[in-house]
Amino acid sequence: MTREDLTATHTRIAPYIHRTPVLTSRLLNQITGAQVFFKCENFQRMGAFKMRGAVNAVLQLSDAQKAKGVVTHSSGNFAQALALAAQSVGVKAYIVMPQNAPQVKKDAVRGYGGEIIECASTPIAREEVAAQVEQEKGAYFIHPSNDRAVILGQGTAALELLEDHPDLAYLFSPVGGGGLIAGTALAAHFFGQGCKVIGGEPFAADDAYRSLQSGVIESNLSTNTVADGLRTQLGDLNFPIIREHVAKIIRVEETEIIGAMRLVWERMKLVVEPSSAVALAALLREKEAYAGQKVGVILSGGNVDLGQLPF
Amino acid sequence: MTREDLTATHTRIAPYIHRTPVLTSRLLNQITGAQVFFKCENFQRMGAFKMRGAVNAVLQLSDAQKAKGVVTHSSGNFAQALALAAQSVGVKAYIVMPQNAPQVKKDAVRGYGGEIIECASTPIAREEVAAQVEQEKGAYFIHPSNDRAVILGQGTAALELLEDHPDLAYLFSPVGGGGLIAGTALAAHFFGQGCKVIGGEPFAADDAYRSLQSGVIESNLSTNTVADGLRTQLGDLNFPIIREHVAKIIRVEETEIIGAMRLVWERMKLVVEPSSAVALAALLREKEAYAGQKVGVILSGGNVDLGQLPF
């Protein structure tokens, strides 16, 4: 994936996404000791960066593919993102979701015109059901994170941030399935001025950290983290990019995630989801190393259940 | 108070305040049927518009007055605002607060360098103690809402909003002590193009609504509202301005306030306090009348106790 791929992606998706604002906070600068630029993807359409990759993937389908629709399996933000992206382009979206997914998430997908296909609550079941929809409907399968078009789309958040602030020394991103940090790493590589990309990952779901150590894709031993968007696994498309272009992954405890989230809510008055706070938690954990530097932080999304806050 | 007073105020306070962003939301436009421009004073320094009036009042003191400090009585945002405003200008601030004020609010005032003087939890006690501080310390008393410099300062939020969007047909503001809506009404009068100002007020603390009806300042019979910033009384400086320049006050139920607040949190990803949501609740309550119009809404602040949310 090249510099030109990223630029073309950004041009392609621009009419369908918000160019989200970059906010700063005197108080957060004091607390971190760095000069921090927050890319507010919580303000993105449907509330998370996932819209970028989803719409990029849908826009690159042929007319024949568009006519048959798209399918993915996700119980999280990508489910809503693909439903809205498909609706925006006039394409049918089949979303495979576990039967026990929260009603509020099912409602959101349906609100964006997505058709939900329920499955049992196991990774294997959802892959099988998605494959079945692919076969029966002829729908085009789009993976939430391990997909070329998705990775490029997610990279446009960092691209915009670096257009606004070209001289960032570091850029922090959460690490879940790896789509966002891989795209971010590509954007920093092609558009940064020596900008180093740092991942934030929960100790409780640290497949990326361990994969970087071992050099092969490791599995999550548990996914018992409040950062529900980061429970997913690295993939074979994004891992090589992460390996080549990500400087470091910092793991954080659950209390650090909740503390960073609370800081953003209380001090910046922004609603962000726990996964969003993981990047800031990583910066806070090792803040001495970044003191006085210009640091970008991607606030990846803001979809939380207000009835189930961790504080 | 003239057009020139407002312009001079804005120039005077500009170095001490944020020019807060104006945000829009496709979803809120759909829900209201209007084209809504939200002035995000929740992003203001110390988290609310109150900083504007406080810093304007402090900056207009003589050197002799500055040397002796300022005093106010408030358990809310004005307490923090005056402490921070005074600190920013290098002036001592005495803040009279009820003994039973929440610890988090006392901590915030002290964090901004304010000296807290405790009093009993009655309106009379706080006025008496403030008068005592005025006498003993020679400190200059600044009322949270019924003060010329404060009213002009609060009006600069609407002034900025109208600079950004000069053709607003309506501008919604919450009504508490009356400083914000009086300043907003002046700004709309001098800088709008026929822009009408509408107040939002809780049924549970509707002194302004009833005062407009009777033509004299009425008292709140109760102040049992979740909108804790709006429990205060109109004053004799702001009431005449409200009477002359505010088109209408719409009263809202507690459930409407909480619903509007939740909408802003969930759909706009903004942390706003209940008082902030009252203006939007008023728009929603009578939305048919504003359909298709350009409407400004002042989101007045974002200081909430995350441990005590109403949803």
Side-chain angles (χ1 to χ4, degrees):
Chain A
M1 296 179 230
T2 65
R3 181 188 171 94
E4 289 66 36
D5 288 333
L6 266 171
T7 314
T9 296
H10 195 224
T11 307
R12 183 182 307 120
I13 69 175
Y16 299 91
I17 60 161
H18 294 319
R19 182 168 185 126
T20 53
V22 177
L23 297 183
T24 60
S25 158
R26 235 181 256 218
L27 277 158
L28 267 290
N29 286 349
Q30 272 174 30
I31 292 167
T32 58
Q35 201 180 340
V36 189
F37 299 86
F38 292 92
K39 178 67 172 170
C40 293
E41 287 294 297
N42 58 325
F43 291 149
Q44 189 51 264
R45 290 186 71 197
M46 57 59 60
F49 73 93
K50 296 266 181 185
M51 183 64 185
R52 296 175 181 269
V55 82
N56 191 41
V58 172
L59 286 172
Q60 289 186 73
L61 300 178
S62 68
D63 287 350
Q65 287 169 327
K66 282 180 184 162
K68 291 190 170 170
V70 291
V71 57
T72 195
H73 52 69
S74 165
S75 57
N77 281 327
F78 196 74
Q80 294 177 49
L82 191 62
L84 179 58
Q87 186 186 53
S88 304
V89 181
V91 168
K92 172 98 187 169
Y94 303 96
I95 312 292
V96 177
M97 293 181 92
Q99 271 159 346
N100 62 358
Q103 191 59 38
V104 57
K105 298 204 170 182
K106 293 184 187 172
D107 291 345
V109 167
R110 289 202 189 95
Y112 294 133
E115 181 178 330
I116 294 173
I117 319 266
E118 293 195 339
C119 68
S121 178
T122 68
I124 291 170
R126 61 189 220 173
E127 284 180 22
E128 280 177 359
V129 174
Q132 207 176 315
V133 175
E134 219 181 323
Q135 277 231 317
E136 284 174 14
K137 311 278 186 186
Y140 186 86
F141 177 73
I142 301 176
H143 191 279
S145 53
N146 199 43
D147 177 288
R148 189 177 182 279
V150 169
I151 294 168
L152 285 167
Q154 317 308 31
T156 59
L159 171 61
E160 290 175 6
L161 177 53
L162 286 163
E163 277 180 359
D164 293 348
H165 301 280
D167 57 345
L168 297 178
Y170 296 95
L171 215 171
F172 281 72
S173 159
V175 189
L180 178 63
I181 195 163
T184 300
L186 288 173
H189 176 64
F190 290 122
F191 298 93
Q193 299 166 4
C195 174
K196 291 197 176 71
V197 171
I198 317 271
E201 193 176 34
F203 271 102
D206 65 347
D207 57 323
Y209 177 86
R210 287 183 293 104
S211 301
L212 277 192
Q213 297 239 307
S214 70
V216 295
I217 297 177
E218 304 284 345
S219 292
N220 277 319
L221 304 175
S222 76
T223 57
N224 189 20
T225 173
V226 67
D228 52 339
L230 309 185
R231 292 176 190 152
T232 42
Q233 278 291 144
L234 280 194
D236 60 352
L237 276 177
N238 48 48
F239 178 57
I241 301 170
I242 294 169
R243 217 177 152 190
E244 190 173 348
H245 295 298
V246 170
K248 182 178 180 178
I249 289 179
I250 297 173
R251 291 176 299 172
V252 292
E253 303 286 356
E254 296 298 298
T255 51
E256 293 175 299
I257 299 171
I258 295 166
M261 178 176 166
R262 187 165 193 143
L263 212 52
V264 173
W265 286 50
E266 287 187 339
R267 300 307 187 123
M268 298 188 69
K269 313 300 180 191
L270 296 176
V271 171
V272 294
E273 58 193 70
S275 306
S276 270
V278 170
L280 175 60
L283 169 59
L284 287 167
R285 186 178 173 102
E286 300 194 358
K287 62 182 180 183
E288 290 72 19
Y290 308 97
Q293 304 280 337
K294 280 195 168 182
V295 176
V297 170
I298 298 182
L299 294 177
S300 51
N303 291 334
V304 281
D305 182 345
L306 292 178
Q308 305 243 330
L309 295 177
F311 35 70
Chain B
M1 296 179 229
T2 64
R3 181 187 170 94
E4 289 65 38
D5 287 335
L6 265 171
T7 314
T9 297
H10 196 223
T11 307
R12 183 184 305 119
I13 69 175
Y16 298 91
I17 60 161
H18 295 318
R19 182 168 185 126
T20 52
V22 177
L23 296 183
T24 59
S25 158
R26 235 182 256 219
L27 276 157
L28 267 289
N29 287 349
Q30 271 174 29
I31 292 166
T32 58
Q35 202 181 340
V36 189
F37 299 85
F38 293 92
K39 178 68 172 169
C40 293
E41 288 294 296
N42 58 326
F43 291 149
Q44 189 50 267
R45 289 185 72 196
M46 58 60 58
F49 73 92
K50 296 267 182 185
M51 183 63 186
R52 296 175 180 268
V55 82
N56 191 42
V58 173
L59 286 172
Q60 290 186 74
L61 301 178
S62 68
D63 286 350
Q65 287 169 325
K66 282 181 184 161
K68 291 189 169 170
V70 290
V71 58
T72 195
H73 51 67
S74 165
S75 58
N77 281 327
F78 196 75
Q80 294 177 49
L82 191 64
L84 180 58
Q87 186 186 54
S88 304
V89 181
V91 168
K92 172 99 188 170
Y94 303 96
I95 312 292
V96 177
M97 293 180 92
Q99 272 159 346
N100 61 359
Q103 191 59 40
V104 58
K105 299 204 170 183
K106 293 184 185 171
D107 291 345
V109 167
R110 289 203 187 95
Y112 294 133
E115 181 177 331
I116 294 173
I117 320 264
E118 294 195 340
C119 68
S121 177
T122 68
I124 292 169
R126 61 188 220 172
E127 283 179 24
E128 281 177 2
V129 173
Q132 207 176 317
V133 176
E134 218 181 326
Q135 278 231 316
E136 283 174 13
K137 312 280 186 185
Y140 185 86
F141 177 72
I142 301 177
H143 191 280
S145 53
N146 199 42
D147 178 287
R148 189 177 182 280
V150 169
I151 293 169
L152 286 167
Q154 317 309 30
T156 59
L159 171 62
E160 292 175 5
L161 177 53
L162 286 163
E163 278 180 0
D164 293 348
H165 301 279
D167 57 346
L168 296 179
Y170 296 96
L171 216 171
F172 281 71
S173 159
V175 189
L180 178 62
I181 194 162
T184 299
L186 288 173
H189 175 66
F190 290 123
F191 298 94
Q193 299 166 3
C195 174
K196 291 196 176 71
V197 171
I198 317 271
E201 192 176 34
F203 272 100
D206 65 347
D207 58 323
Y209 176 87
R210 288 183 293 104
S211 302
L212 277 193
Q213 296 238 306
S214 70
V216 296
I217 297 178
E218 304 284 346
S219 292
N220 278 318
L221 304 175
S222 76
T223 57
N224 189 20
T225 173
V226 66
D228 53 337
L230 309 185
R231 292 176 190 153
T232 43
Q233 278 291 142
L234 280 194
D236 59 351
L237 276 178
N238 48 48
F239 177 57
I241 301 172
I242 294 169
R243 218 178 150 188
E244 190 174 347
H245 295 299
V246 170
K248 182 180 181 176
I249 289 179
I250 298 173
R251 291 176 299 174
V252 292
E253 303 286 357
E254 295 299 296
T255 52
E256 293 175 300
I257 300 171
I258 295 167
M261 178 175 166
R262 187 165 191 143
L263 212 51
V264 173
W265 287 51
E266 286 187 339
R267 301 306 189 123
M268 299 188 68
K269 313 301 178 189
L270 295 176
V271 171
V272 294
E273 57 193 73
S275 305
S276 270
V278 170
L280 175 61
L283 170 59
L284 286 168
R285 187 179 173 97
E286 300 193 359
K287 62 182 179 182
E288 290 73 18
Y290 308 97
Q293 305 279 336
K294 280 194 167 183
V295 175
V297 170
I298 299 182
L299 293 177
S300 51
N303 291 333
V304 281
D305 182 345
L306 291 179
Q308 304 244 329
L309 296 178
F311 34 69

